[in-house]
C-alpha cells in the first residue's frame, strides 16, 4: 500500500524473479524467472475480507506463460492496448 507503506507477499516461493508487469484489464501479474528460464503469470483477485488487499488466485498461481526458446528473460513489458507481451533475453540475445 503506497499510502500506509505496508506490504505483503503476493507470490511466494520464487527462485529468481527479475522483471514484472501487471496487465490491468485481465488482472494478471506477469514476471520472468531466470533460474526457471520461464515467464510466469497469475490472476489477481480482490480479497473481500481485507480491503485493498490482492492475492494470486490459488488454483492458477505460478502458471507458466512462456517456457520455450527462453534462456535469461531479464526484462518484460505488457502492451496493454493490444494484449501483447514483450521480453528481453540476454542469454539468447533477442527480444521476444
Amino acid at each position: 500500500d503506497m499510502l500506509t507503506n505496508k506490504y505483503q507477499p503476493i507470490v511466494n516461493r520464487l527462485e529468481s524473479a527479475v522483471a514484472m508487469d501487471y496487465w490491468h484489464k485481465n488482472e494478471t501479474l506477469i514476471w520472468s524467472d531466470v533460474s526457471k528460464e520461464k515467464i510466469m503469470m497469475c490472476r489477481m483477485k480482490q480479497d473481500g475480507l481485507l480491503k485493498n488487499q490482492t492475492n494470486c488466485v490459488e488454483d492458477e498461481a505460478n502458471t507458466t506463460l512462456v517456457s520455450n526458446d527462453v534462456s535469461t528473460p531479464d526484462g518484460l513489458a505488457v502492451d496493454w492496448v493490444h494484449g501483447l507481451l514483450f521480453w528481453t533475453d540476454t542469454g539468447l540475445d533477442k527480444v521476444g
Side-chain angles (χ1 to χ4, degrees):
D1 187 315
M2 292 176 23
L3 298 176
T4 65
N5 291 326
K6 293 182 181 181
Y7 62 92
Q8 70 174 41
I10 296 173
V11 179
N12 293 312
R13 298 178 302 275
L14 296 175
E15 291 183 29
S16 293
V18 296
M20 180 213 67
D21 203 352
Y22 182 70
W23 188 9
H24 187 268
K25 179 180 176 184
N26 287 8
E27 297 179 326
T28 303
L29 182 68
I30 302 170
W31 69 94
S32 61
D33 191 310
V34 295
S35 291
K36 293 181 180 179
E37 297 182 346
K38 295 179 179 180
I39 298 175
M40 312 292 285
M41 64 171 271
C42 72
R43 299 268 180 186
M44 304 292 290
K45 69 173 182 175
Q46 196 73 15
D47 190 340
L49 300 175
L50 300 172
K51 187 177 179 182
N52 297 326
Q53 186 171 345
T54 52
N55 297 301
C56 281
V57 176
E58 291 299 324
D59 60 354
E60 294 184 34
N62 300 340
T63 302
T64 300
L65 185 60
V66 180
S67 62
N68 295 332
D69 298 321
V70 178
S71 174
T72 311
D74 54 0
L76 62 82
V78 173
D79 174 0
W80 54 271
V81 174
H82 299 99
L84 300 173
L85 174 67
F86 297 93
W87 70 90
T88 58
D89 190 318
T90 55
L92 300 176
D93 292 328
K94 71 175 188 177
V95 175

